[in-house]
Amino acid sequence: MVRDDYEVVIGLEVHCELSTKTKIFCSCSTEFGGEPNTHCCPICMAMPGTLPVLNEKVVEYAVKAGLATNCSIEKNSKNDRKNYFYPDSPKAYQISQFDKPLCYDGYVTIQTDEGEKQIRIERIHIEEDAGKLNHDEYGRGTFVDLNRAGVPLIEVVSKPDMRSSAEVEAYMRKLKSIFEYIEISDCKMEQGSLRADVNVSVRKKGAKEFGTRTEMKNMNSFRNIVRAIDYEAERQIEELEKGNKILQESLRWDEISGRTFSMRDKEDAQDYRYFPEPDLVAIKLSDEYIENIRKSLPELPESRKKRYIEDYELTEKAANFVVASKYYSNLFEEATKICNNPKTVGNMIMSDIARILNEREEEPDALKFTGKELGELVSLIDKGTISSAIAKKVLEELFNEVKMPSKIIEEKGWVQISDESAIKEVVMKILENNQQSVADYKAGKDKALGFLVGQAMKETKGKANPQLLNKLFLEELKK
Ligand code: ADP
Ligand code: MG
Ligand code: ZN
């Protein structure tokens, strides 16, 4: 996409809302939505005289995130006050972390066209989310909803290690997948639980220094992140080619016009005057505490991948695909336990299940059926009860209503026809009606057999046993 003589450089600040039951400094609910200003109390509304108390779960979740992304954990951490005024933040400051983030110096591994690549993580710190401003459509003004104020966040700051929008997408997907595995967030991007500030610069290939970056804030869809980076890189290259300078500024991505616009606020000109938060005590963590969290981590994608290749003989491609989502991976393991056919289960996830999700514009977390249903489905194919063509139809049904596949095929009358005389009848009929194909086959065109089998499948609505069908056709054609 980007011109050959330029290189794009991207670094991400990813915000992830933690799925603790209560907010970071009070006991209000973190639940998404709700009537405006109903998940609030004097603490998260910043009434004078109130004091915050740090929710221990927030520290635990952040340490989990750090350990799962190969970070070192800071045993002497603290909170800091970041001063800025914006009407969605009633305190006029945000409690965050400045010089002692909980986690630092980590990395995650992504797959690129050139193989694996490590994206370094500079730091992960904890902070509180702000409320939300709702601009009234009738022009009566702007209303503030503080339900989100005080919802715990981690911010994951990457090094500027990414070199294309594809790498950024892979990195974001990897973080999302890890956070789903360790169950620290629902990672619902459409609800803003996972969102990224995207920093983009360009430089001539081979240049030593980075170019000046611009930043697009609060991006919450993969599609828009990719489009915005590609657009912004092109724009910067054009400016440089015209002899202009890039201004370090925050930009707004407009998905309708597919362009970025200046927000006219120079992020770097801001002075947050950070100082240690006086209302909170330091966060001191023992080795034992950290080790206990490490032990509690579930098996992560890298290790699952290795195991799927070694123990289940999945291809690298299938293994990568399955472990990319906790929902796929758990489905895979549960189904395989039942049918003992990892290869078919893996293929079904990679082809049919992924395709149907894609058609429905859903992510794997939307899957309603479990390994119980998928495992039985694969067993039914293996036993010859249904063909793989019917299995695809059963899968479609499973997306509409979760039922045991044996029940679905019974209700729909989809049991495979393996009765030789019944199939023979169909074969004779198809041969009779397709004399040209018969002649073609006899003249050496092997492809004609495929056509005849296809016709027979159509006739039986996919229910004929394919091996038997092939065998009977061949017998007749050789006569
Ligand atoms: P700030 O906190 O002011 O936004 P940082 O220096 O902490 O600035 O960087 C924020 C993000 O910007 C990091 O993810 C970093 O990787 C990225 N970044 C820094 N310099 C560049 C650059 N020249 N091009 C692209 N990304 C950059
Ligand atoms: Mg920034
Ligand atoms: Zn509260």
Side-chain angles (χ1 to χ4, degrees):
M1 184 114 211
V2 171
R3 283 174 45 158
D4 275 356
D5 49 340
Y6 277 91
E7 178 176 59
V8 197
V9 173
I10 309 136
L12 252 53
E13 296 155 278
V14 173
H15 283 100
C16 173
E17 276 181 359
L18 301 177
S19 54
T20 54
K21 288 216 164 48
T22 56
K23 291 186 178 179
I24 183 166
F25 302 121
C26 63
S27 52
C28 290
S29 166
T30 55
E31 208 176 307
F32 179 76
E35 284 294 302
N37 301 308
T38 53
H39 303 163
C40 305
C41 72
I43 298 173
C44 52
M45 290 190 297
M47 296 294 182
T50 56
L51 284 175
V53 177
L54 180 59
N55 180 349
E56 276 177 38
K57 275 276 172 210
V58 172
V59 176
E60 182 189 322
Y61 281 19
V63 171
K64 270 191 175 175
L67 293 173
T69 53
N70 308 293
C71 286
S72 302
I73 306 300
E74 176 60 65
K75 290 199 280 180
N76 292 298
S77 187
K78 66 178 171 68
N79 290 105
D80 296 281
R81 194 176 279 198
K82 178 179 181 177
N83 289 283
Y84 73 97
F85 176 74
Y86 200 68
D88 61 6
S89 152
K91 287 189 176 114
Y93 61 83
Q94 178 191 32
I95 301 180
S96 179
Q97 296 194 286
F98 181 48
D99 54 337
K100 296 241 172 187
L102 268 174
C103 322
Y104 58 96
D105 284 352
Y107 67 88
V108 296
T109 308
I110 59 166
Q111 305 291 327
T112 70
D113 293 340
E114 290 89 48
E116 290 190 342
K117 175 173 175 179
Q118 284 185 358
I119 306 298
R120 290 170 301 158
I121 290 172
E122 188 172 304
R123 57 187 281 154
I124 301 180
H125 64 256
I126 54 174
E127 60 186 27
E128 56 183 333
D129 209 344
K132 236 185 182 152
L133 294 178
N134 296 312
H135 305 288
D136 178 58
E137 56 183 308
Y138 305 107
R140 285 175 302 186
T142 296
F143 296 85
V144 67
D145 176 5
L146 297 178
N147 283 353
R148 202 179 63 181
V151 166
L153 293 175
I154 49 172
E155 178 173 337
V156 184
V157 182
S158 84
K159 296 274 188 191
D161 280 354
M162 288 158 273
R163 294 293 176 268
S164 67
S165 54
E167 287 186 12
V168 172
E169 177 167 1
Y171 169 75
M172 275 290 276
R173 286 194 183 275
K174 192 59 179 268
L175 279 188
K176 178 170 189 277
S177 138
I178 291 173
F179 295 163
E180 283 171 352
Y181 274 108
I182 63 176
E183 298 180 335
I184 60 164
S185 172
D186 64 20
C187 294
K188 288 191 180 150
M189 292 179 79
E190 67 287 359
Q191 295 183 357
S193 303
L194 191 73
R195 51 191 200 257
D197 298 345
V198 181
N199 298 271
V200 179
S201 66
V202 298
R203 63 175 170 186
K204 271 270 166 71
K205 277 231 171 103
K208 283 212 173 60
E209 305 283 323
F210 287 137
T212 304
R213 71 187 149 108
T214 58
E215 178 172 13
M216 295 173 281
K217 288 198 171 279
N218 278 321
M219 308 277 307
N220 67 344
S221 92
F222 292 122
R223 193 175 115 80
N224 279 317
I225 289 173
V226 167
R227 286 174 69 207
I229 292 170
D230 290 342
Y231 172 85
E232 180 56 15
E234 291 288 341
R235 185 192 70 83
Q236 290 185 13
I237 293 171
E238 253 172 59
E239 289 295 324
L240 292 176
E241 287 291 314
K242 279 192 238 158
N244 296 334
K245 280 206 161 67
I246 304 300
L247 296 177
Q248 178 164 344
E249 61 182 346
S250 291
L251 300 175
R252 183 176 63 81
W253 164 252
D254 181 62
E255 62 174 276
I256 312 282
S257 62
R259 294 182 48 198
T260 53
F261 292 93
S262 174
M263 304 215 299
R264 309 235 171 273
D265 85 50
K266 302 267 150 45
E267 154 95 0
D268 255 43
Q270 289 212 32
D271 175 4
Y272 293 124
R273 288 171 294 121
Y274 277 103
F275 65 86
E277 171 56 54
D279 291 340
L280 289 164
V281 293
I283 307 169
K284 295 214 184 288
L285 305 180
S286 67
D287 287 323
E288 193 194 354
Y289 173 86
I290 297 168
E291 281 322 301
N292 280 337
I293 294 180
R294 197 191 298 278
K295 278 187 221 135
S296 78
L297 289 177
E299 190 185 14
L300 292 168
E302 297 306 317
S303 145
R304 289 185 190 225
K305 175 182 157 186
K306 244 182 102 198
R307 198 159 53 78
Y308 294 175
I309 293 173
E310 279 166 16
D311 300 354
Y312 293 134
E313 296 178 355
L314 287 197
T315 60
E316 175 148 3
K317 184 172 165 221
N320 272 328
F321 194 91
V322 170
V323 304
S325 158
K326 161 184 117 171
Y327 301 96
Y328 282 157
S329 182
N330 291 345
L331 182 68
F332 170 81
E333 297 203 4
E334 206 189 338
T336 297
K337 246 184 230 147
I338 292 168
C339 65
N340 207 9
N341 185 345
K343 209 173 146 189
T344 304
V345 174
N347 281 337
M348 268 203 172
I349 291 174
M350 194 162 49
S351 54
D352 302 306
I353 294 178
R355 174 183 51 80
I356 299 172
L357 277 175
N358 202 16
E359 283 164 11
R360 297 166 66 103
E361 294 184 24
E362 288 176 347
E363 294 285 323
D365 65 352
L367 286 171
K368 298 210 177 52
F369 60 88
T370 66
K372 208 172 93 189
E373 288 82 22
L374 185 61
E376 194 199 40
L377 182 63
V378 173
S379 297
L380 290 170
I381 306 173
D382 290 345
K383 279 190 242 157
T385 314
I386 54 170
S387 62
S388 39
I390 292 292
K392 285 187 210 292
K393 299 214 289 188
V394 175
L395 261 185
E396 302 269 358
E397 289 296 317
L398 280 175
F399 274 83
N400 296 327
E401 192 186 354
V402 180
K403 262 188 194 173
M404 288 312 283
S406 47
K407 188 113 184 103
I408 296 175
I409 60 173
E410 188 194 309
E411 284 173 9
K412 301 266 180 191
W414 283 347
V415 177
Q416 179 159 279
I417 309 169
S418 292
D419 171 30
E420 193 156 335
S421 62
I423 292 192
K424 179 99 180 234
E425 223 170 275
V426 178
V427 167
M428 297 314 282
K429 181 173 164 199
I430 298 296
L431 289 174
E432 176 73 35
N433 294 342
N434 294 279
Q435 297 291 341
Q436 186 56 47
S437 300
V438 174
D440 286 351
Y441 184 80
K442 293 195 166 156
K445 288 189 191 153
D446 289 349
K447 264 200 203 149
L449 176 63
F451 173 77
L452 291 166
V453 171
Q455 292 300 305
M457 274 297 185
K458 222 176 187 175
E459 176 78 18
T460 58
K461 300 197 173 68
K463 289 192 290 186
N465 179 320
Q467 287 84 24
L468 208 49
L469 208 53
N470 252 302
K471 187 185 117 199
L472 293 180
F473 265 121
L474 280 174
E475 277 176 19
E476 287 306 315
L477 287 166
K478 291 213 167 107
K479 271 187 187 161

